[in-house]
Amino acid sequence: MRVCPAVGIAAICTTLCSCGWLGNPEAEAAFVDSLRTVIRGQSDISQFDLAETTSFDWSTAHVFRPYTSEKAVNEAIGKRIYSRSLHLRDDINLLVFTENGEVVLTVEVPLGVCDFAYPAEDRWKASNTNYRVANGSALFRVVIDDTGYCVAKPLDVLPD
């Protein structure tokens, strides 16, 4: 029996999508647009709640900085996901939203929208590549400099 190549490709795509490999471009774009609106839409913003930028259920947001290795991403999430070649990139932060240990959405946030930096605390070292925040306490302090560069730092992070 021959299988139509289109059927085989559809099955592969369905499998990859369900594992988070291909992502959800529409949901990603909607999140980035919402984030941009919340941050850039207010001239006097000093902080925001990450939950204000989402329209889906999530319990934890994992924030990965540029150049984070695929291994570090997978270990932090607890499963293998498509990390968007983050280990080679300096133009994005990768946000991975999870609910009950399952990936809900993986989003590339361009640094031009806002750079999700580390908390300004001594315990964070330059070698740290990621942190986690919980829904309900995912407040970020925002600083936008004279050139328009935005930096968002979490006010509270989850322990490792």
Side-chain angles (χ1 to χ4, degrees):
M1 170 163 78
R2 279 189 88 180
V3 175
C4 174
V7 171
I9 291 171
I12 291 170
C13 287
T14 300
T15 301
L16 291 176
C17 286
S18 67
C19 296
W21 281 88
L22 296 181
N24 184 334
E26 294 83 15
E28 288 185 49
F31 170 79
V32 171
D33 287 344
S34 178
L35 179 66
R36 183 180 288 115
T37 299
V38 166
I39 292 174
R40 304 291 181 161
Q42 304 173 34
S43 60
D44 61 346
I45 188 168
S46 62
Q47 69 181 33
F48 73 97
D49 185 341
L50 191 60
E52 293 174 13
T53 66
T54 60
S55 60
F56 50 89
D57 292 332
W58 60 277
S59 58
T60 305
H62 300 258
V63 178
F64 298 96
R65 302 278 301 136
Y67 300 120
T68 302
S69 73
E70 185 174 327
K71 180 181 178 184
V73 171
N74 292 332
E75 286 177 356
I77 300 300
K79 60 181 64 176
R80 191 165 183 230
I81 68 165
Y82 177 47
S83 62
R84 319 289 175 94
S85 300
L86 185 61
H87 65 287
L88 300 173
R89 299 183 65 181
D90 66 356
D91 61 328
I92 64 167
N93 290 130
L94 187 68
L95 274 63
V96 180
F97 293 91
T98 60
E99 175 79 24
N100 298 321
E102 296 299 318
V103 174
V104 176
L105 186 65
T106 302
V107 182
E108 294 179 17
V109 177
L111 297 188
V113 172
C114 201
D115 185 3
F116 284 83
Y118 294 117
E121 298 177 12
D122 293 336
R123 65 186 173 108
W124 289 91
K125 299 181 173 91
S127 62
N128 288 60
T129 58
N130 63 287
Y131 58 89
R132 301 175 305 144
V133 295
N135 194 346
S137 63
L139 293 174
F140 286 80
R141 179 175 297 117
V142 176
V143 176
I144 300 175
D145 70 15
D146 292 339
T147 67
Y149 189 76
C150 172
V151 175
K153 293 184 179 183
L155 300 179
D156 189 27
V157 297
L158 294 171
D160 292 329

